[in-house]
Amino acid sequence: MVTVAAVSLAIATPAVAAPDTTATPTVEEQRLDKAAPQEILRRSGFDDVAPDFARALAGTHSATEAERVITREGRALWKRAVDRVQGRGPAGGDLSRDDDRPLYWARLGMTRALGQWQPGFPLTDARRAALLTTLERTSRGQDSLDLPAGTHVKRIVVTGFDPFQLDADVRRSNPSGAAALALDGTTIRTDNGPARVETAVFPVRWADFADGTVERTLLPAFRSGPRRVDAFLTVSQGRVGRFDVERTNGAWRGGYPDNANVSRTETVPIPAGVPTPQPQPQWTTTTLPYEKIVAANTGPVPVYDHTEVTEIPAGGTTPVVRPDGPTPGSTARAGGGGDYLSNEIAYRATLLRDAVGLKAPGGHLHTPVLQFGPGNTDPATGQVTDPDFVHNREAITAQVRSVLTVVAATTR
């Protein structure tokens, strides 16, 4: 049975203002001052984003006006990042256009500026938090999935992620985010007709997922109507040297630290106010055409139908690895995509698919790990980019597009 709680995901605005609501920079924002992020911003021309945003905020005279400015500037950053990757407008520097990192670091400059902004009017903590949510959504493409109506074109949503594991190497890029920027607003041609692709990027933070960022983004596209998706693909970085179509997703968070250095070990929490099956299932399954994807010649890297999970069998207490998927009545401890946010976005998206009765191909694709060139592997002495790094990222994006073409060709 599917239940829908009558609770809004919106953040209310208290009437009483706090005297000082400025925020200490977050763990992610504190990494901004390192040499590599500053070089990435400078060599892409995105070093002007945060200063310009701070000036625009300083010129506002009410929270309502600030909301308008933040919405405008957040959407402008997303568009600028998409345009740069897709070759429109100036490159802004010598950093390769396919790079997803300027968007990530520029956004953090904006969120830090918003946190430290001291307006000349009352602003509560809750109102500032709501403004931050607006900035996150608009600068990630989450509020602008512009799917066309009609039967003449198929509609596909693709999601990617921010860079992560940055304390180990702050230079890291995420090929799923790069692919999302390269694919946003593009059209894929298939024998079954054209397919329009719209994309969004998600943070690598447990709290945002618990707060409903995935469901808030996808639900308008998943609900019945003339703009309902015909397919969806959540994408993240996975294993070295392979793509994986993840067959099964599990309802478990394994505790690995996120970009805020926060750990969560628990059952995946479902936010109030969204359609969801009751009771919450331990497993969800892909509806991607995995056999066709694996059989197709999508590119040089092998693609696997990945079926392994980790479960606690019914009546048991000890986790067991199952190479062929879960057994009846078992409790999830890792899906095919693991127990981190890759698995979680796949679980949430497919759970929402089932809750609203969406009959469409959908599920998760893990890309290969994006690697620097062999002479550029030491984070302490390495460069922020190199020819192998660029080639690897471009090749991953091209193969993601090829996989998506297979998916588009199977839509009805």
Side-chain angles (χ1 to χ4, degrees):
M1 176 181 177
V2 175
T3 61
V4 183
V7 180
S8 173
L9 287 174
I11 299 174
T13 305
V16 179
D20 182 6
T21 61
T22 56
T24 301
T26 67
V27 168
E28 284 187 280
E29 291 164 1
Q30 290 173 36
R31 297 188 186 107
L32 258 173
D33 297 323
K34 294 180 179 292
Q38 291 301 309
E39 181 180 348
I40 289 165
L41 289 171
R42 185 175 64 254
R43 292 178 61 182
S44 61
F46 279 51
D47 53 348
D48 63 356
V49 171
D52 288 352
F53 175 68
R55 282 190 289 272
L57 266 186
T60 61
H61 300 90
S62 68
T64 300
E65 185 181 359
E67 177 87 25
R68 288 196 297 267
V69 167
I70 289 167
T71 299
R72 181 191 71 210
E73 296 299 315
R75 288 176 178 166
L77 175 60
W78 174 254
K79 183 178 185 302
R80 181 173 170 179
V82 169
D83 286 348
R84 186 177 191 276
V85 169
Q86 295 186 14
R88 293 185 289 271
D94 67 345
L95 198 67
S96 64
R97 279 187 176 268
D98 67 297
D99 207 313
D100 60 305
R101 296 172 297 176
L103 171 63
Y104 175 71
W105 293 112
R107 181 192 306 111
L108 285 174
M110 294 174 75
T111 62
R112 184 164 70 175
L114 176 56
Q116 297 178 340
W117 169 50
Q118 297 182 349
F121 50 86
L123 187 72
T124 63
D125 286 334
R127 185 60 167 148
R128 192 186 293 267
L131 294 174
L132 176 61
T133 297
T134 296
L135 177 55
E136 287 279 346
R137 284 179 53 73
T138 55
S139 65
R140 295 179 175 281
Q142 294 176 3
D143 74 328
S144 55
L145 297 178
D146 187 19
L147 296 168
T151 59
H152 65 288
V153 62
K154 304 300 181 183
R155 293 165 290 273
I156 301 178
V157 168
V158 176
T159 69
F161 274 103
D162 287 349
F164 66 110
Q165 296 180 324
L166 296 167
D167 287 333
D169 190 346
V170 77
R171 304 174 300 159
R172 282 187 168 133
S173 162
N174 194 321
S176 69
L181 291 171
L183 289 165
D184 188 54
T186 63
T187 299
I188 293 176
R189 304 291 174 181
T190 76
D191 292 341
N192 291 340
R196 171 67 174 264
V197 182
E198 290 290 315
T199 72
V201 171
F202 286 91
V204 183
R205 295 189 298 253
W206 296 111
D208 296 68
F209 276 54
D211 288 343
T213 185
V214 173
E215 292 85 356
R216 187 182 294 112
T217 301
L218 297 181
L219 184 55
F222 280 22
R223 279 180 166 147
S224 296
R227 301 178 189 274
R228 192 181 209 183
V229 295
D230 296 293
F232 65 92
L233 186 69
T234 58
V235 187
S236 65
Q237 178 177 256
R239 303 164 182 88
V240 174
R242 59 186 285 171
F243 281 87
D244 287 289
V245 182
E246 304 297 353
R247 183 84 73 89
T248 306
N249 319 296
W252 185 251
R253 298 174 145 192
Y256 189 83
D258 63 11
N259 274 354
N261 289 340
V262 171
S263 178
R264 290 286 184 269
T265 304
E266 59 190 354
T267 299
V268 170
I270 304 303
V274 298
T276 193
Q278 294 289 355
Q280 181 180 349
Q282 286 295 302
W283 309 99
T284 64
T285 305
T286 188
T287 46
L288 290 171
Y290 51 86
E291 292 177 334
K292 292 182 179 180
I293 294 171
V294 170
N297 180 21
T298 58
V301 180
V303 184
Y304 295 92
D305 168 23
H306 190 234
T307 58
E308 182 180 283
V309 302
T310 302
E311 66 174 18
I312 297 177
T317 58
T318 304
V320 177
V321 176
R322 300 290 190 190
D324 297 320
T327 56
S330 65
T331 301
R333 281 300 176 265
D339 57 12
Y340 196 42
L341 289 161
S342 295
N343 167 77
E344 184 160 330
I345 196 169
Y347 177 81
R348 289 182 181 277
T350 51
L351 188 70
L352 188 65
R353 172 203 64 196
D354 296 343
V356 300
L358 173 63
K359 306 298 183 184
H364 195 76
L365 179 71
H366 258 128
T367 77
V369 173
L370 175 58
Q371 296 177 306
F372 287 97
N376 189 30
T377 57
D378 186 349
T381 61
Q383 303 299 310
V384 298
T385 191
D386 62 61
D388 287 339
F389 184 64
V390 173
H391 170 77
N392 292 340
R393 186 169 51 213
E394 290 177 338
I396 291 171
T397 292
Q399 196 159 349
V400 170
R401 184 182 284 109
S402 293
V403 169
L404 198 61
T405 301
V406 177
V407 176
T410 65
T411 60
R412 294 193 294 271

